[in-house]
């Protein structure tokens, strides 16, 4: 029976929905995380009678057609790139982006990745790196005798060095943005890579045209709203149950029809 196959596609779609929601909930405290949202499309239709088809020899036409759908499919699990809350950390190398932009991160294999996670630190050589030791571009090294480091809203890094009355400028943290940031591909570790859908990265700095500003001693929280995700989880569960009831009802109808013909 067609209804069983159609309902099965609905159950698979809601199973995918629950997986995405569970991942959002699991990352509710992940720095810079952007929640995912599932989008669905209906499947092909079988046309028994097209709208506008002739219904008589006098050129009368059917005002509506007869179409039977075959179910649903998951078409995308795009990310919602809205701003997360900014929370203080009291750590001098933690940075939050307020507004548009991504940090540019250099991987050990030479690839360039992008992130909203600004939980940075220094490695043994004094270079600004991520928690995994990946270099923050354009490559900023803090002297080992620096007494304090400041990073302004434009990403300019300055350090107070003994023997100097004015702070020493060490460089400027670069930001990038994309025409279609939803098209970025997640590779884990709070990192993204560009794709054909995202477009080429547009370089800039904090406070520049189209870019947000940086805040030192702060981090951006994930944009997951726990109450919203739990509500979506309940709705997905109800949709899954309804599809399972359709399968049960279709099975009972098939059994009743079989017994009728046997009797």
């Amino acid at each position: 029976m067609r209804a069983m196959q159609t309902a099965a596609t609905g159950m698979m779609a809601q199973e995918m929905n629950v997986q995405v929601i569970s991942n959002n909930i699991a990352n509710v405290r992940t720095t810079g995380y952007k929640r995912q949202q599932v989008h669905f499309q209906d499947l092909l239709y079988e046309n028994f009678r097209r709208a506008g088809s002739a219904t008589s020899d006098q050129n009368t036409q059917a005002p509506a057609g007869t179409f039977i759908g075959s179910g649903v499919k998951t078409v995308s699990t795009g990310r919602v790139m809205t701003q997360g809350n900014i929370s203080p950390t009291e750590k001098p190398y933690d940075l939050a982006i307020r507004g548009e932009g991504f940090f540019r991160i250099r991987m050990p294999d030479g690839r360039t990745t992008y992130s909203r996670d600004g939980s940075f630190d220094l490695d043994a050589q004094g270079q600004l790196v991520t928690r995994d030791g990946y270099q923050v571009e354009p490559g900023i090294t803090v002297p080992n005798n620096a007494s304090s480091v400041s990073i302004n809203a434009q990403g300019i890094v300055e350090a107070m060095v003994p023997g100097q009355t004015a702070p020493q400028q060490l460089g400027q943290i670069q930001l990038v943005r994309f025409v279609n940031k939803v098209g970025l591909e997640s590779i884990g570790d709070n990192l993204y890579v560009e794709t054909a859908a995202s477009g080429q990265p547009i370089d800039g700095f904090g406070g520049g045209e189209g870019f947000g500003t940086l805040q030192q001693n702060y981090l951006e929280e994930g944009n997951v709203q726990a109450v919203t995700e739990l509500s979506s989880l309940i709705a997905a569960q109800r949709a899954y149950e309804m599809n399972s009831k359709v399968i049960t009802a279709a099975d009972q109808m098939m059994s009743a029809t079989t017994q009728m013909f046997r009797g």
Side-chain angles (χ1 to χ4, degrees):
M1 182 177 284
R2 183 197 301 270
M4 297 182 69
Q5 297 177 346
T6 301
T9 65
M11 293 180 70
M12 289 187 290
Q14 293 307 320
E15 182 180 358
M16 172 72 76
N17 196 12
V18 170
Q19 290 176 359
V20 170
I21 294 171
S22 65
N23 185 60
N24 288 339
I25 295 174
N27 285 280
V28 68
R29 298 292 296 171
T30 300
T31 303
Y33 177 79
K34 302 303 179 184
R35 68 183 182 92
Q36 290 178 281
Q37 195 172 50
V38 183
H39 300 279
F40 303 107
Q41 284 183 349
D42 51 354
L43 293 175
L44 294 174
Y45 287 80
E46 182 175 355
N47 298 331
F48 291 93
R49 186 175 72 170
R50 292 186 177 277
S53 58
T55 57
S56 71
D57 295 337
Q58 284 71 40
N59 295 326
T60 55
Q61 295 179 337
T66 303
F67 309 97
I68 302 297
S70 55
V72 63
K73 67 176 179 180
T74 303
V75 65
S76 70
T77 56
R79 292 192 179 274
V80 180
M81 292 291 193
T82 55
Q83 177 80 51
N85 293 329
I86 305 297
S87 298
T89 64
E90 299 182 358
K91 296 181 179 179
Y93 300 109
D94 282 348
L95 294 173
I97 302 174
R98 184 180 292 277
E100 291 293 324
F102 293 84
F103 296 108
R104 184 189 287 270
I105 309 298
R106 175 69 64 179
M107 302 295 285
D109 59 3
R111 289 187 302 159
T112 299
T113 59
Y114 310 94
S115 180
R116 292 281 297 190
D117 181 1
S119 50
F120 303 140
D121 217 324
L122 301 182
D123 63 8
Q125 288 73 43
Q127 289 187 321
L128 191 66
V129 296
T130 69
R131 295 289 170 85
D132 291 317
Y134 306 145
Q135 185 181 26
V136 180
E137 292 191 338
I140 294 174
T141 302
V142 178
N144 55 13
N145 61 343
S147 58
S148 64
V149 175
S150 64
I151 305 173
N152 67 11
Q154 288 72 45
I156 297 175
V157 184
E158 296 180 329
M160 291 300 300
V161 179
Q164 296 183 3
T165 56
Q168 176 183 343
Q169 184 170 322
L170 306 178
Q172 186 172 11
I173 296 174
Q174 192 175 43
L175 297 181
V176 299
R177 61 184 178 88
F178 295 87
V179 174
N180 177 30
K181 55 188 175 181
V182 178
L184 292 170
E185 178 184 348
S186 303
I187 61 172
D189 298 328
N190 291 353
L191 299 174
Y192 302 93
V193 293
E194 67 179 271
T195 67
S198 68
Q200 297 292 319
I202 303 170
D203 297 329
F205 298 98
E209 184 178 357
F211 289 89
T213 56
L214 298 182
Q215 286 191 263
Q216 187 181 13
N217 306 322
Y218 286 83
L219 286 177
E220 180 187 9
E221 298 178 352
N223 63 354
V224 177
Q225 299 293 329
V227 174
T228 302
E229 296 300 323
L230 291 174
S231 298
S232 299
L233 181 61
I234 293 172
Q237 182 181 6
R238 293 290 181 266
Y240 187 92
E241 291 174 352
M242 286 189 289
N243 281 284
S244 67
K245 288 180 180 179
V246 170
I247 292 179
T248 301
D251 180 61
Q252 292 174 348
M253 293 171 65
M254 290 179 63
S255 298
T257 302
T258 302
Q259 292 176 1
M260 181 178 64
F261 280 109
R262 286 179 179 177

